[in-house]
């Protein structure tokens, strides 16, 4: 076997603290792990809500090859024309939004060393918007991935652990990894499924952990108490980069290992 193909996946980059910690820590991670491919979920890059075209460029410029997203993808209006036309395809939106939505949930690319790869972005439906079925969307996306593309990474952006785990089992053996995002809370269940797909329910957020999933905790607590509309601000303290490193056999795309990563 050739040396393993390494994928660094960075969890939901949240606001300015998230962008800062990624820019600070990513060079160290690149030195330590020498990833062939670096991916990140960027749905919260713009003050917790969505992402703008300049922030897409900023994160791609920091060495991230493809950005995935989720339910917050539409929060910044300027991303809609960007996804509709002028983008380079490296910002994904969940594939299972209705076909009328601009953008794509699949990226097919090659690393600088010429290894082809696919990135797939799916969104769950439990406690989330009732968009199209992520399982069937995954089947449709995989039908578009050429057989010679062995490295296939899925961002499973979902609230319910059950839905993400079911997606992991459903896709086992057909993709290199199913990496969960969206809850902003890392889980300790990383594993290699029997047919060779790496899996983790959630890699956690890259952002401020002195918070409630990224926002200033006082306002969130107040809202739980009074149930009134509230304005949330991005928290500042305890910024961490969270993600996972997956090693795979480049010949068949099967995962060899997965480890959680947290850097502060
Ligand atoms: Fe998120
Ligand atoms: Fe989300």
């Amino acid at each position: 076997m050739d040396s393993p193909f390494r994928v660094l996946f960075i969890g939901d980059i949240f606001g300015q603290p998230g962008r800062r910690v990624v820019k600070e820590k990513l060079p160290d991670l690149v030195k330590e792990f020498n990833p062939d491919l670096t991916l990140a979920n960027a749905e919260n890059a713009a003050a917790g809500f969505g992402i703008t075209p300049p922030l897409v460029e900023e994160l791609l410029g920091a060495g991230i090859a493809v950005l995935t997203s989720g339910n917050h993808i539409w929060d910044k209006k300027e991303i809609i024309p960007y996804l509709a036309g002028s983008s380079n395809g490296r910002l994904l939106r969940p594939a299972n939004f209705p076909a009328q939505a601009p953008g794509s949930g699949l990226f097919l690319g090659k690393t600088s060393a010429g290894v082809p790869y696919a990135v797939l972005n799916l969104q769950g439906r439990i406690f989330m918007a009732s968009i199209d079925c992520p399982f069937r969307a995954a089947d449709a996306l995989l039908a578009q991935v050429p057989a010679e593309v062995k490295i296939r990474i899925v961002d499973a952006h979902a609230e319910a652990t059950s839905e993400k785990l079911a997606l992991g089992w459903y896709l086992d053996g057909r993709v290199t990894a199913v990496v969960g995002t969206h809850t902003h809370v890392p889980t300790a269940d990383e594993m290699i499924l029997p047919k060779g797909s790496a899996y983790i329910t959630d890699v956690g957020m890259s952002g401020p952990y002195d918070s409630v999933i990224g926002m200033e905790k006082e306002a969130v607590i107040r809202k739980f108490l009074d149930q009134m509309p509230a304005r949330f601000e991005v928290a500042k303290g305890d910024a961490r980069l969270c993600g996972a490193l997956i090693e795979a056999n480049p010949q068949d795309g099967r995962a060899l290992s997965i480890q959680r990563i947290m850097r502060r």
Side-chain angles (χ1 to χ4, degrees):
M1 192 188 86
D2 297 344
S3 59
F5 187 95
R6 294 194 185 86
V7 182
L8 175 62
F9 189 103
I10 298 169
D12 303 39
I13 300 172
F14 197 97
Q16 203 262 340
R19 301 195 315 267
R20 198 183 56 231
V21 76
V22 166
K23 269 178 271 173
E24 276 175 21
K25 302 296 177 191
L26 184 53
D28 299 342
L29 292 172
V30 167
K31 251 184 231 153
E32 188 176 345
F33 296 117
N34 194 22
D36 298 281
L37 177 63
T38 300
L39 309 172
N41 185 300
E43 69 154 359
N44 308 110
F49 296 103
I51 185 165
T52 60
L55 290 181
V56 174
E57 301 307 322
E58 181 184 317
L59 292 170
L60 295 177
I64 300 165
V66 182
L67 301 168
T68 58
S69 68
N71 51 304
H72 284 294
I73 183 62
W74 314 115
D75 289 357
K76 292 283 180 280
K77 296 296 161 262
E78 54 268 47
I79 213 63
I80 294 170
Y82 180 80
L83 283 173
S86 59
S87 93
N88 55 16
R90 290 178 184 267
L91 172 67
L92 297 180
R93 51 91 167 158
N96 52 320
F97 271 97
Q100 287 84 348
S104 168
L106 173 66
F107 182 81
L108 295 170
K110 273 186 181 170
T111 67
S112 54
V115 180
Y117 64 89
V119 184
L120 295 74
N121 196 176
L122 299 168
Q123 184 172 311
R125 299 190 291 183
I126 310 289
F127 308 126
M128 301 183 85
S130 53
I131 57 175
D132 295 343
C133 172
F135 294 80
R136 292 181 185 86
D139 291 336
L141 289 185
L142 288 173
Q144 297 173 52
V145 178
E148 63 268 24
V149 179
K150 303 297 185 192
I151 301 296
R152 302 162 172 204
I153 309 298
V154 180
D155 178 345
H157 192 81
E159 181 77 25
T161 52
S162 60
E163 195 174 21
K164 287 193 261 198
L165 198 45
L167 263 175
W169 286 109
Y170 186 65
L171 296 175
D172 182 22
R174 295 195 278 162
V175 301
T176 304
V178 176
V179 178
T181 60
H182 173 73
T183 71
H184 296 189
V185 177
T187 58
D189 62 338
E190 71 277 18
M191 59 183 152
I192 307 292
L193 298 174
K195 293 178 185 164
S197 298
Y199 175 82
I200 184 167
T201 295
D202 208 298
V203 291
M205 148 186 88
S206 295
Y209 274 72
D210 181 16
S211 74
V212 176
I213 62 171
M215 293 301 185
E216 288 282 8
K217 51 192 184 292
E218 291 75 14
V220 178
I221 293 167
R222 202 178 318 122
K223 185 175 183 186
F224 276 111
L225 288 169
D226 65 20
Q227 296 295 328
M228 290 170 63
R231 203 186 150 82
F232 295 152
E233 302 285 346
V234 173
K236 294 178 185 67
D238 191 15
R240 307 182 199 176
L241 181 155
C242 282
L245 186 87
I246 297 125
E247 288 187 313
N249 181 341
Q251 307 298 333
D252 59 11
R254 282 174 165 239
L256 303 166
S257 70
I258 176 170
Q259 68 180 97
R260 274 178 283 139
I261 286 170
M262 182 185 281
R263 295 286 187 279
R264 54 177 105 190

